[in-house]
Every structure is written in structure tokens, then in C-alpha cells.
Amino acid sequence: EPTADISPDDYQPGLAELWVGQDGRRYGAPKDWDTVGLFYDRGRLSEAGISEQDLSALDWNPTDGGSFEKVVARLTVDEAGRRGDEPGFDKNRVKVYGFGTNGSGGDGFGQTQWSPFTASAGWSFTDQNPWGTRYRYDDPGFQQTVAWYFSLAEKGYMPRFETFGPDSTAYQQFAAGRVALALQGSWMISSFQSVKDVDLAVAPTPIGPTGKRASMFNGLADSVTRFAEDPQAAARWVKFLSDGACQDIIGGAGVVFPARESGTKKSMAKRAEQGLDVSAFTRHIDEGTTFPFPVTERGADVTALVQPAMDGVYIGSQPVSSMTEVNSQVNRLFEFR
């Protein structure tokens, strides 16, 4: 098998292992990786009297939101020009929200929503990863963090569920000038760079109660379909795509962060040439503050239960405590395998 000699040590830590099944067989050759960060406009930050150093050192906690919530409040501006931390601020007539929304996070397990906060508070999705069999949405720490996260919308610092609709993204809101901070993945760098009249920069995710930052760590892989007319030739092509030569080419184009370290460095250099420091994404690799997307059986069924439940929490039609019963429903899926 052309891809049988893929060595995990050749790629960023943990990427190669993501594509090995329970049977021990490899189902994909590592292609790229991603983490999340806070995109912002230096001009808007300066207008609010906030320094880039302040933004890079934010912390948060579920009690009062820490310096993160203070900054988000400061960056929020109502239609009368009052900021979220000023007397008379009208949370029902907001012109610019301090923090963008990517929906409730139920379909993507909070990747660009609440997961950097729940993880930096010490929470994990399942009892083990990969192939866990018990989800932990009933955990008090998870529920406390999510309650705080969605309280930002109630305070007017983040759009409510219905403000832009469930399909709107923080990138779209940022591009329209409606939000100051957009939590998005590194796969969106080029899109953000295309926004006109913005002095773009990226800050890292805030430090949580654990004393560390956190970001979901994900990546795609190239695989061979079972319908391939020439499986061996297809496998050789997939092997080339995961090799250093090809990944250096991709890195040099600056499109994504290739799975190999050399390709990642070339991608960073390309972004630097374009005037953008993307170390907010790579520091999670350097500092070991990543966590993997939860890998379990019954993924589609889990999403079918969690998505509407998280929507309900965001909308306010269901209390966050409702996730305890949802968690029981999710875990019952694994009792009948």
C-alpha cells in the first residue's frame, strides 16, 4: 500500500492519528490543519482605546467574563454612539457588536463558537477521544460556560440568534462592518484578507480558568475512493499530496496550513509577505493548547439531538440545564450499538 508508510512524526502532532479507524487501518493521508483565532480591524480597536497588546493578553471566566468581556463591551457601539461599557447603552439598538456570532455551535460542536471557552475551562466532550461512548454536556462546568457565552447576546455585546439569522457567520458580519471581533478558523484567512478598508490582524483566543488558551485542532485528509478505477495509482497520488514536496508547494501559496511543519512555515512566511502575522493560530501548536474534534460513532445522530437543543439555549427558549436531558438522550445512542 503506497500510504502504509505514513509516519505520524512527519506531520503536526496528532494529525496523522485522526485518520486511523478503530480497526487500525488508515483512511486518509494528512492534508492540512486548522485552529481558531480572533480577527479584528486595528482601526476599530484604536477608536475604542484598546491596544493590540491588551487584546493578545485577554482572559475570561464564567463569573464576570474577565478582561475579554470588558473588551467586547467596549467594542460594542449602539446606534447613538454609546459603547457597551458606557451609561445609557441601548442593547436593543446596536450598530456594531463587540463579538460576532457563528450560531449556536450545535452542528460543529462549538468549533468557532464556545469550544475555546469550554476547553480552556477544562471541559472535554467525551469520556475519551477518539471513540468515546459518553458525552459530557451534563457537566456543570460546561453548562456554566455556555450560559455565560450566550449571556453576551442578552447583554447586547453579541448578536442574538434572530438578529442575522442562523445561517449568518461572523465573517459576513465582520465584512459588513457589524462586528469588531470575529472568532473564526485559519481556513478563513484569505476571506478576511479580501475585506476592503480594514487593517486586518489576528489575536489569540483568551486565556481561561485553567491558565491556558484553547483551540479545536482539526484537519482534512486525502483519501482513495473504493470506486477508483486504478486504486494503486490513486493511492500513489494521495501519497504525493501528503509528501513534503507537495505540501511545500501548497504552503508557498499561503492558502492553508499544510500538515507538515515545513509547509506550515512556508505558509506563515507567505502571509507575512502579505503583511499578516498568523502566529495566533500556530501558537496553539507550539504551546500544546489544542484539543481534537470529538470522534465517536453515531456522529450524525448526535448532531441531530444537539443542534436544536443548542439553538434553543441560544434563542432563550430552553435553559442551559436542558442539556442534561439531551446528554442522556445522546448517551443512550451508544447503548444499542
Side-chain angles (χ1 to χ4, degrees), residues 96-152:
V96 178
Y97 294 89
F99 190 49
T101 177
N102 289 300
S104 71
D107 58 340
F109 295 90
Q111 183 173 14
T112 57
Q113 295 89 2
W114 40 259
S115 71
F117 301 100
T118 53
S120 62
W123 180 79
S124 58
F125 288 91
T126 55
D127 55 346
Q128 64 181 32
N129 203 19
W131 310 117
T133 59
R134 306 291 295 178
Y135 276 84
R136 303 180 61 243
Y137 296 116
D138 59 343
D139 180 82
F142 167 79
Q143 295 186 7
Q144 184 183 21
T145 299
V146 168
W148 163 78
Y149 176 83
F150 289 123
S151 78
L152 296 175

Side-chain angles (χ1 to χ4, degrees), residues 189-211:
I189 294 174
S190 294
S191 296
F192 276 89
Q193 286 182 305
S194 70
V195 179
K196 296 180 179 179
D197 302 321
V198 167
D199 187 4
L200 187 68
V202 191
T205 58
I207 298 168
T210 60

Side-chain angles (χ1 to χ4, degrees), residues 2 76 79 86 143 216 222 262 291 307 321 334 336-337:
T76 302
E79 293 179 356
E86 294 177 341
Q143 295 186 7
M216 188 176 284
D222 291 304
S262 62
F291 60 94
Q307 176 67 69
S321 59
F334 298 92
F336 306 99
R337 290 182 294 161

Side-chain angles (χ1 to χ4, degrees), residues 250-267:
I250 296 171
V255 180
V256 293
F257 291 128
R260 289 178 179 263
E261 184 176 358
S262 62
T264 294
K265 289 181 177 178
K266 288 184 179 296
S267 183

Side-chain angles (χ1 to χ4, degrees), residues 14-85:
L15 285 184
E17 292 86 341
L18 287 175
W19 299 96
V20 175
Q22 286 180 289
D23 56 7
R25 298 178 65 183
R26 174 162 298 285
Y27 288 87
K31 176 181 180 179
D32 56 23
W33 63 268
D34 55 68
T35 53
V36 301
L38 293 167
F39 290 89
Y40 65 95
D41 176 2
R42 288 190 179 95
R44 198 177 292 279
L45 203 69
S46 178
E47 291 172 0
I50 300 168
S51 72
E52 292 190 78
Q53 291 73 23
D54 290 338
L55 199 62
S56 295
L58 296 180
D59 59 43
W60 81 275
N61 67 75
T63 303
D64 62 14
S67 60
F68 174 79
E69 183 168 329
K70 288 184 173 64
V71 163
V72 168
R74 182 65 184 168
L75 288 169
T76 302
V77 184
D78 69 13
E79 293 179 356
R82 293 179 292 250
R83 295 189 176 274
D85 60 354

Side-chain angles (χ1 to χ4, degrees), residues 290-302:
T290 64
F291 60 94
F293 192 97
V295 179
T296 69
E297 295 180 347
R298 312 298 295 271
D301 296 325
V302 173

